[in-house]
Amino acid sequence: MKDYHGCTRINTDKRFRVFVYISLYLYICGITFPLLSSELVKVPAGVYKPFIKVDAESATKPIPVKSFYLDKYLVTKKDYSEFISKNPKWKKENTPQIFADEGYLDDWKTKKENFILDSPVTYISWFSAKGYCESQGKRLPNAYEWEYAAFIPPIGGNSKTVDKEIMRWYGEKKPDHLPSIGRYKNALGIYDLHGLIWEWVYDFNSASVTGDSRADSDLESSLFCGAGALKANDFSNYAAYMRFGYRAGLKGWYTGKYLGFRCAKDL
Amino acid sequence: MKPIARKFGHIIIVLIFSIVWFSACNKEPVMEEAKLTYAPEVPPPITRKNPAKVVINLETKEVVGRLADGVEYTFWTFGGTVPGPFIRIREGDDVEFNLHNHPSSKMPHNIDLHAVTGQGGGAGASLTVPGRSSKFSFKAINAGLYIYHCATSPVGMHIANGMYGLIFVEPKEGLPKVDKEYYIVQSEFYTNGKHGAPGLQGFNMEKALTETPDYVVFNGSVGSLTDNKALKAKVGETVRLFVGNGGPNLLSSFHVIGEIFDSVYTEGGTVANQKNVQTTLVPAGGSAIVDFKVEVPSTLILVDHSIFRTFNKGSLGMLKVEGEENKTIYSGKQEDTVYLPEGSAIQRMKTESVEAPKAKTKAEKIEIGERVFNTNCSACHMKEGQGVPNVFPPLAKSDYLNANKERAIGILLKGLTGEITVNGQKYNNVMPHLELSDDDIANVLTYVYSKWENKGLEVSAEEVKKNKK
């Protein structure tokens, strides 16, 4: 998969510096320029078939997804600490609780040797994730985009391969510290959409799933159609239900050990 | 009495009355935190005569634990155990329920208490992502024994991973007093590996959908109620079991081997509606209360009488009863004798008289003989003629067999009883006379002699006939 810039990740730092200079220059000239410090992968246009009814009109009709860019990697602790040093308002002590609860960056207190720089940053609120992406001229992916990309299996795999990774993650012995990124790669070359953490999406609370998933069946709002359309053996959808349940339980200021993000960008 | 004093007396009486009245009216309802216990313990009966405001704190936690010896599983739990803690409240209580999802959890969780009247039994108000707490309140308007479980989608997976427990809403009048109360929940686990496959086992969705569990257990693991973890009672005591079934799929035929339930509150209701029950059905997502008095010392075996689950998948518990024997109720073994009816030492077994094909060559004899052996002999002498040590003598490499062909024919014609020595080992048992045709005797002996390092002798129907006297 051709990447957006045709650059490799190793050049990131050098590139980053050049970008800083250029941006500074352009800023001085009154023009803002987005900083793109991490690699993006182009996700081709396609159709996302939701198994959850999102609103009365859409039912479970396939939803066209326009082509977009998605971060190849999850945002890491290293990425985020760089962001904070440039945007001190997102330091823990400066961030008001309406934008991030008391758990914000909770694991940054751990001992240095346990602080794995290239592990995904978690204990991140929706506001802070959004702030990060915007600082780079990007945005959070929306749920359809994310789900669409996440359903793409690894090369040579199928939906069962995806499901297996999800189930492996659900059942694994939890590590004390989140491991490094780059474990699971889908056919587009996007890493860790499954198997490491949950990810924020822009519209995390738009799927009208109530706290009691089963009640949705008579609310006619969401999971009923999902359940109706769901073949009994469609395991990957079944496992994916958890994401919708998780998102439904979130508020913008919540943070969690297994909740991080990656950014997206329009073409 | 002087009027003034009378007046004063009135005032005092009114004052006392009003104090009593006021304090009675203004009495704050009792506020208490529910004491939770872990299986098999049950919190003590509630002795309060009035409803109270009860606060319940329950934590959801994902933990790796033992499912069987050498087998681990990532359980999703209430309170860190399977089943979750036993909750005991009283009919009419106002309950404030706090569900805390541990920050180390990966999954969102909630709780549906079947004791709650309201949206989703509380599930609608308790969806909680890791590191958060949810609070909701309910009034316990219905007494009974209820299952609670997680109802976050996918519901089946949350239950299959261990998220259930029992809540008992004690009726106002209470239950009859008993000496011992215990808490048991049956449930199944669907693992990627087969039963007994070692290591950390993942959840298998395919098996869950086809309802073919590898483990059916009491209280979350194989052996949770056996040996030194067995339940205990003394002779003469009354025992009450609060039995739940977490499912997710199977119904339990709950039975206690060696006991009869004196009374059963079927399906966990508040009426002891049945007396003298052997096996009570506990539906998935349901419960039962069983009471019984233990009269004699023994180890009572708690089982799901869908019996392969018990002896092959783990649903076996024990209740050890200690105390004085009572020989009038149960004698124990009084005699051990050989049973030989009709006074005859040798039993005749009727075999079907089917016209068998006649064997012409030795190879054909062996072929037919093998069939005869498999239908008539292999049950005792075993498929490879190895016999069963101390019980059934071997035919393989057998000195007794090879030493005397005619004796072998005779045994097949007449049967054999009494002590013999085969390959240096003494056997004292009965081989029945089998009504085999002369041809079949010849065939089966030829087969046996041709196998397992025996001498390879051939036996003919004529030889058999000759020995028939």
Side-chain angles (χ1 to χ4, degrees):
Chain A
M1 185 56 54
K2 190 96 193 227
D3 114 47
Y4 182 39
H5 298 284
C7 312
T8 61
R9 193 170 164 74
I10 303 150
N11 292 332
T12 302
D13 287 347
K14 206 195 273 174
R15 205 151 43 85
F16 178 70
R17 232 174 301 144
V18 174
F19 267 123
V20 171
Y21 294 140
I22 293 170
S23 327
L24 272 174
Y25 171 75
L26 293 171
Y27 180 76
I28 293 161
C29 302
I31 306 156
T32 51
F33 192 85
L35 288 174
L36 295 164
S37 74
S38 70
E39 281 185 79
L40 288 157
V41 170
K42 186 175 171 185
V43 180
V47 175
Y48 167 60
K49 289 198 196 88
F51 56 94
I52 289 186
K53 187 173 171 180
V54 176
D55 54 56
E57 291 81 49
S58 78
T60 53
K61 266 184 269 166
I63 295 166
V65 176
K66 279 190 218 151
S67 180
F68 65 103
Y69 291 111
L70 191 61
D71 276 351
K72 184 171 181 176
Y73 297 101
L74 287 161
V75 176
T76 63
K77 294 190 170 64
K78 179 167 179 277
D79 298 334
Y80 201 81
S81 62
E82 282 165 8
F83 161 71
I84 286 188
S85 59
K86 290 190 195 73
N87 300 274
K89 72 165 180 160
W90 285 111
K91 276 189 180 161
K92 188 172 167 91
E93 60 271 26
N94 298 339
T95 306
Q97 289 206 351
I98 51 162
F99 292 135
D101 66 20
E102 55 270 48
Y104 181 57
L105 302 181
D106 205 42
D107 61 341
W108 290 39
K109 297 176 293 196
T110 55
K111 287 183 201 153
K112 224 173 184 163
E113 60 265 31
N114 292 331
F115 196 75
I116 304 163
L117 276 174
D118 62 351
S119 76
V121 66
T122 58
Y123 290 108
I124 288 290
S125 71
W126 178 83
F127 291 103
S128 58
K130 184 167 164 283
Y132 176 97
C133 291
E134 283 171 358
S135 79
Q136 306 206 340
K138 301 190 210 165
R139 59 179 173 81
L140 283 171
N142 63 45
Y144 295 152
E145 289 172 334
W146 194 96
E147 290 289 330
Y148 168 63
F151 266 105
I152 296 168
I155 292 169
N158 55 27
S159 66
K160 277 198 174 141
T161 324
V162 179
D163 174 54
K164 227 172 136 188
E165 176 61 12
I166 295 174
M167 299 302 279
R168 181 203 65 75
W169 185 56
Y170 286 178
E172 73 174 357
K173 203 170 265 183
K174 279 180 274 187
D176 289 340
H177 308 284
L178 288 176
S180 305
I181 56 167
R183 295 158 64 91
Y184 164 90
K185 181 184 180 182
N186 80 0
L188 296 179
I190 303 172
Y191 283 89
D192 304 319
L193 284 158
H194 303 290
L196 260 185
I197 56 166
W198 307 102
E199 296 183 36
W200 279 109
V201 291
Y202 182 77
D203 50 349
F204 64 92
N205 55 3
S206 69
S208 44
V209 183
T210 66
D212 180 11
S213 59
R214 302 151 305 162
D216 300 328
S217 51
D218 37 59
L219 291 181
E220 266 281 296
S221 59
S222 59
L223 285 172
F224 168 62
C225 284
L230 195 61
K231 279 178 250 129
N233 56 0
D234 208 341
F235 306 139
S236 48
N237 284 354
Y238 198 80
Y241 261 67
M242 199 78 74
R243 285 197 295 276
F244 288 85
Y246 195 107
R247 286 174 195 148
L250 291 172
K251 300 266 185 258
W253 56 90
Y254 283 12
T255 65
K257 180 175 178 182
Y258 289 94
L259 183 56
F261 70 105
R262 76 179 75 223
C263 306
K265 195 178 185 296
D266 292 325
L267 283 189
Chain B
M1 205 186 275
K2 283 179 185 170
I4 203 113
R6 195 184 298 154
K7 205 168 189 183
F8 197 66
H10 278 170
I11 286 168
I12 286 172
I13 288 163
V14 166
L15 210 72
I16 289 167
F17 257 106
S18 56
I19 285 167
V20 170
W21 178 252
F22 201 72
S23 60
C25 284
N26 218 25
K27 206 160 121 194
E28 277 285 312
V30 189
M31 177 129 169
E32 60 183 44
E33 183 165 349
K35 227 194 281 157
L36 310 180
T37 60
Y38 291 98
E41 301 303 324
V42 177
I46 293 169
T47 50
R48 282 190 270 117
K49 292 284 168 258
N50 296 298
K53 167 134 189 179
V54 180
V55 179
I56 297 170
N57 283 294
L58 197 55
E59 186 184 48
T60 55
K61 230 175 176 175
E62 295 151 13
V63 295
V64 172
R66 176 190 168 281
L67 177 56
D69 286 336
V71 185
E72 289 192 310
Y73 192 84
T74 301
F75 295 101
W76 300 354
T77 73
F78 289 104
T81 57
V82 180
F86 193 104
I87 305 170
R88 191 167 196 157
I89 56 175
R90 185 183 176 275
E91 185 182 353
D93 282 351
D94 290 302
V95 181
E96 176 194 307
F97 201 100
N98 299 286
L99 189 72
H100 313 284
N101 192 354
H102 197 274
S104 72
S105 296
K106 271 179 192 165
M107 307 299 161
H109 299 297
N110 64 8
I111 191 165
D112 169 352
L113 300 122
H114 290 181
V116 171
T117 308
Q119 181 60 62
S126 60
L127 179 64
T128 311
V129 296
R132 310 291 307 187
S133 298
S134 298
K135 177 170 125 179
F136 66 96
S137 296
F138 67 93
K139 193 173 192 75
I141 52 180
N142 295 86
L145 181 62
Y146 299 94
I147 280 275
Y148 65 78
H149 64 89
C150 182
T152 304
S153 67
V155 182
M157 199 187 291
H158 281 263
I159 296 176
N161 281 335
M163 301 197 77
Y164 36 75
L166 284 177
I167 176 168
F168 182 51
V169 182
E170 189 125 23
K172 278 178 187 147
E173 62 283 2
L175 291 187
K177 208 177 159 330
V178 290
D179 299 307
K180 293 270 160 65
E181 290 184 327
Y182 290 115
Y183 169 29
I184 298 158
V185 174
Q186 178 177 325
S187 59
E188 323 101 56
F189 287 90
Y190 302 84
T191 54
N192 281 328
K194 281 188 185 144
H195 180 93
L200 182 66
Q201 290 294 327
F203 167 67
N204 188 300
M205 177 68 82
E206 216 150 352
K207 291 178 183 173
L209 286 168
T210 52
E211 307 190 3
T212 49
D214 300 279
Y215 295 91
V216 181
V217 297
F218 292 130
N219 290 353
S221 66
V222 178
S224 67
L225 291 172
T226 58
D227 304 322
N228 58 352
K229 285 178 268 173
L231 307 177
K232 286 189 175 63
K234 290 194 184 70
V235 167
E237 284 186 326
T238 43
V239 178
R240 173 171 296 142
L241 303 179
F242 291 101
V243 186
N245 185 357
N249 292 318
L250 302 184
L251 280 68
S252 171
S253 304
F254 187 72
H255 175 79
V256 175
I257 299 176
E259 252 310 331
I260 294 142
F261 305 140
D262 297 330
S263 50
V264 176
Y265 301 73
T266 56
E267 292 158 9
T270 48
V271 180
N273 56 333
Q274 187 59 284
K275 301 235 173 269
N276 304 323
V277 174
Q278 57 193 309
T279 300
T280 192
L281 194 68
V282 189
S287 69
I289 305 170
V290 300
D291 291 2
F292 53 90
K293 186 177 175 192
V294 287
E295 277 100 352
V296 291
S298 63
T299 298
L300 302 175
I301 310 292
L302 284 50
V303 301
D304 177 346
H305 217 295
S306 297
I307 208 72
F308 275 96
R309 300 174 189 168
T310 295
F311 294 110
N312 302 77
K313 295 186 173 182
S315 56
L316 186 148
M318 292 175 180
L319 170 60
K320 288 189 177 162
V321 183
E322 287 170 352
E324 287 287 306
E325 298 269 6
N326 186 341
K327 298 281 188 189
T328 58
I329 293 178
Y330 185 70
S331 71
K333 195 167 210 169
Q334 294 171 308
E335 258 183 13
D336 183 347
T337 51
V338 177
Y339 173 60
L340 294 172
E342 297 163 27
S344 134
I346 309 255
Q347 301 303 299
R348 284 175 174 268
M349 204 189 239
K350 268 248 185 265
T351 51
E352 283 168 52
S353 52
V354 181
E355 203 54 45
K358 290 251 194 259
K360 287 185 194 86
T361 64
K362 187 175 177 187
E364 280 176 12
K365 275 187 183 170
I366 292 171
E367 201 192 319
I368 297 166
E370 182 175 4
R371 277 203 300 269
V372 176
F373 180 83
N374 287 339
T375 38
N376 294 288
C377 319
S378 66
C380 297
H381 291 291
M382 310 309 286
K383 202 99 185 152
E384 297 302 320
Q386 72 269 35
V388 175
N390 302 318
V391 187
F392 303 120
L395 300 176
K397 217 178 170 178
S398 162
D399 56 358
Y400 186 88
L401 176 72
N402 287 307
N404 191 338
K405 184 160 86 167
E406 275 161 27
R407 177 171 66 187
I409 295 169
I411 292 169
L412 273 165
L413 282 168
K414 295 167 193 144
L416 179 69
T417 185
E419 190 177 292
I420 57 168
T421 304
V422 181
N423 296 345
Q425 175 83 47
K426 282 201 168 84
Y427 293 88
N428 190 351
N429 213 327
V430 176
M431 167 160 158
H433 163 83
L434 301 153
E435 295 217 331
L436 296 174
S437 67
D438 296 351
D439 280 310
D440 275 347
I441 290 173
N443 293 339
V444 76
L445 276 172
T446 306
Y447 167 75
V448 169
Y449 274 124
S450 74
K451 298 284 285 184
W452 315 308
E453 296 181 50
N454 286 329
K455 266 166 80 182
L457 303 173
E458 188 175 349
V459 180
S460 68
E462 287 69 38
E463 283 176 284
V464 176
K465 220 166 269 160
K466 247 200 313 194
N467 280 283
K468 251 188 188 174
K469 274 168 207 158

